[in-house]
Amino acid sequence: TLADEQASAVASELDDFYQNGRTKPAFIVIVADTRPEGIEQYAARVLKTWGEYDNLDVVRSLVLVISTAEARAHLETGAE
């Protein structure tokens, strides 16, 4: 479960993402743990790998990674 502050941060990121017209594929990944990588590095790698595999416009895509063991979430958006 995300704390109120974390949920608000995720909601803000998603709102910004959609307000800027970046409404391409979005993925939610729930994993037990991202170790040995940090959650940020894991999310970036997932977005890059899936983007290459599916020939996605990664700049306009996003992935939300939820790590249950770490009780953390990270929203990775494509870099412009």
Side-chain angles (χ1 to χ4, degrees):
T1 303
L2 297 176
D4 288 343
E5 182 178 293
Q6 293 170 314
S8 178
V10 168
S12 177
E13 250 332 286
L14 286 171
D15 185 53
D16 180 56
F17 189 81
Y18 289 111
Q19 292 298 323
N20 288 319
R22 299 183 337 172
T23 56
K24 291 290 184 177
F27 306 96
I28 299 174
V29 180
I30 301 172
V31 295
D33 199 344
T34 64
R35 287 179 276 200
E37 294 176 285
I39 194 167
E40 295 85 0
Q41 292 79 19
Y42 183 87
R45 184 171 58 82
V46 167
L47 186 60
K48 181 178 185 294
T49 301
W50 285 1
E52 290 171 354
Y53 179 75
D54 287 334
N55 198 26
L56 297 175
D57 180 357
V58 174
V59 171
R60 297 172 53 94
S61 300
L62 66 84
V63 63
L64 173 63
V65 175
I66 300 170
S67 173
T68 57
E70 300 170 272
R72 293 190 63 207
H74 177 74
L75 182 65
E76 182 74 21
T77 60
E80 294 190 303

